[in-house]
């Protein structure tokens, strides 16, 4: 499979690239704004997995032309793409909504990446995608749980809006297999905007990548268009396959309200 990962230069994105290489992917492209970090992922994966070609492509997904150019470059090198992992995200410095210190432009910048950037990415990918592609949206539990703590409104609201972009893309294009994923609480450069120290370890970071690899296997086909967390037990999910397929379990919706479309 040919895999494209946005935000692939570090943290969760780099872990996902490594997991797909370990799973046998021979063509992996990582997109991001910082060339140095992309090259770090490229060399780390390429040195460990000699049969995997890793392409590092600089680009800002908030810019439509840069996004299109990045995918065109990948298409020329790898031809059709099978899997897209939308991992790029933005979290401004936390500030309460009514705080006089809240920078509205900084707050809105989260939407430029988490919503507009996601839209640019899926549209550019579609031009080069294989017949039955997979899209994994790296989301966050903050998008679908009650407010966790003050200051996270920009991240929560933009990531919630992003989920709807992916849900509608899946609804409008049934041939695309879309899954929204909460990757766990992982220490990254972005997470430090929230907490200076997150107690984690490499195995937790690796879990994000390994779970995404499992999600694109035939064994996980029943999770199409669902929302999942990486720390859920795979065997338990498989045991609930029939219920997941036949009910609204793992859909993002208002609890306690029935709706028949």
């Amino acid at each position: 499979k040919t895999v494209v990962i946005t935000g692939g230069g570090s943290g969760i994105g780099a872990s996902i690239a490594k997991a797909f290489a370990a799973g046998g992917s021979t063509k992996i492209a990582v997109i991001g704004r910082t060339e140095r970090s992309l090259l770090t992922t490229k060399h780390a994966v390429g040195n460990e997995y000699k049969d995997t070609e890793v392409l590092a492509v600089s680009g800002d997904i908030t810019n439509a032309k840069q996004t299109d150019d990045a995918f065109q470059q990948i298409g020329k090198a790898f031809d059709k793409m099978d899997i897209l992992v939308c991992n790029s995200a933005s979290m401004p410095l936390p500030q309460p909504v009514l705080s006089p210190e809240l920078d509205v432009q900084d707050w809105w910048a989260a939407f430029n990446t988490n919503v507009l950037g996601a839209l640019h990415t899926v549209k550019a990918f579609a031009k080069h995608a294989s017949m039955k592609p997979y899209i994994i949206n790296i989301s966050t539990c903050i998008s679908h749980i009650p407010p966790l703590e003050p200051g996270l409104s920009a991240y929560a609201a933009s990531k919630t809006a992003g989920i709807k972009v992916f849900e509608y893309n899946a609804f409008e294009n049934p041939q695309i297999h879309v899954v929204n994923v909460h990757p766990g609480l992982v220490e990254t450069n972005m997470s430090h905007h929230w907490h200076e120290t997150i107690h984690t370890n490499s195995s937790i970071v690796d879990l994000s990548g390994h779970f995404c690899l499992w999600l694109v296997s035939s064994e996980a086909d029943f999770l199409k268009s669902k929302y999942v967390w990486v720390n859920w037990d795979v065997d338990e999910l498989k045991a609930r396959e029939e219920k997941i397929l036949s009910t609204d379990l793992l859909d993002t919706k208002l609890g306690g309200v029935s709706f028949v479309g």
Side-chain angles (χ1 to χ4, degrees), residues 21-219:
S25 296
T26 57
K27 297 177 181 179
I28 298 174
V30 288
I31 301 175
R33 291 181 296 180
T34 308
E35 184 178 22
R36 179 181 297 179
S37 62
L38 295 174
L39 291 175
T40 298
T41 299
K42 171 184 171 71
H43 296 316
V45 174
N47 289 338
E48 186 170 354
Y49 302 97
K50 303 297 184 183
D51 293 333
T52 301
E53 181 181 358
V54 183
L55 184 65
V57 183
S58 298
D60 183 350
I61 65 168
T62 66
N63 183 297
K65 185 179 185 306
Q66 288 189 30
T67 308
D68 282 338
D69 289 348
F71 277 88
Q72 187 171 3
Q73 182 179 340
I74 298 167
K76 287 181 178 178
F78 289 163
D79 199 15
K80 294 296 183 181
M81 307 165 202
D82 304 297
I83 299 162
L84 170 65
V85 182
C86 291
N87 175 65
S88 293
S90 173
M91 176 193 288
L93 291 173
Q95 289 290 350
V97 172
L98 299 183
S99 169
E101 297 180 7
L102 184 141
D103 184 324
V104 174
Q105 293 304 313
D106 188 40
W107 189 93
W108 187 250
F111 284 79
N112 284 335
T113 299
N114 301 339
V115 184
L116 181 61
L119 178 62
H120 289 160
T121 301
V122 296
K123 287 177 70 67
F125 172 72
K127 298 173 185 177
H128 304 274
S130 58
M131 293 296 291
K132 294 183 178 181
Y134 286 79
I135 297 179
I136 297 177
N137 173 40
I138 303 301
S139 184
T140 170
C141 67
I142 293 173
S143 66
H144 62 82
I145 63 174
L148 194 61
E149 61 180 68
L152 297 177
S153 63
Y155 188 57
S158 60
K159 293 297 278 186
T160 302
I163 290 173
K164 287 301 174 184
V165 173
F166 288 96
E167 287 185 347
Y168 268 87
N169 188 32
F171 177 73
E172 295 160 354
N173 303 280
Q175 78 280 10
I176 303 178
H177 186 111
V178 178
V179 186
N180 291 294
V181 183
H182 167 54
L185 188 58
V186 178
E187 184 174 6
T188 64
N189 293 333
M190 187 181 71
S191 70
H192 288 169
H193 289 185
W194 178 16
H195 283 297
E196 284 298 320
T197 303
I198 294 177
H199 298 291
T200 186
N201 56 55
S202 61
S203 64
I204 295 175
V205 178
D206 291 344
L207 178 61
S208 300
H210 294 163
F211 192 86
C212 287
L213 175 63
W214 176 70
L215 280 177
V216 301
S217 70
S218 59
E219 190 175 82

